[in-house]
Amino acid sequence: MSVAVILADRLGAHPDDLEVRAIAAAVAAALFVAIEEWQARDGQGDLGTLIDRALGSVLAGPSQATAIPKWR
């Protein structure tokens, strides 16, 4: 079962909807970045915490993220 299917079911949407696919892609990217960060730390620290932080920044949206640069 794909992330898009799980999200679509929870959102009451269709897995092929643009928004569902975009959220699924963002979740996958957040997981990738969290694992990449954990690996950069030689597997030290709590991977679950890094995943929570990465997913939190994606799901909170840009206004809630703490390290978003302001584009000019």
Side-chain angles (χ1 to χ4, degrees), residues 17-36:
D17 287 355
L18 174 67
E19 294 81 5
V20 171
R21 292 183 9 246
I23 294 168
V27 166
L31 291 172
F32 178 82
V33 170
I35 293 167
E36 192 175 57

Side-chain angles (χ1 to χ4, degrees), residues 2-71:
S2 73
V3 173
V5 170
I6 294 167
L7 285 170
D9 184 54
R10 291 184 182 206
L11 296 171
H14 193 276
D16 290 334
D17 287 355
L18 174 67
E19 294 81 5
V20 171
R21 292 183 9 246
I23 294 168
V27 166
L31 291 172
F32 178 82
V33 170
I35 293 167
E36 192 175 57
E37 177 72 16
W38 181 71
Q39 287 178 329
R41 297 177 182 185
D42 295 324
Q44 300 297 310
D46 184 27
L47 178 58
T49 299
L50 292 172
I51 290 171
D52 285 345
R53 285 178 55 201
L55 287 173
S57 65
V58 167
L59 298 175
S63 65
Q64 300 299 317
T66 58
I68 302 269
K70 297 197 185 231
W71 297 96

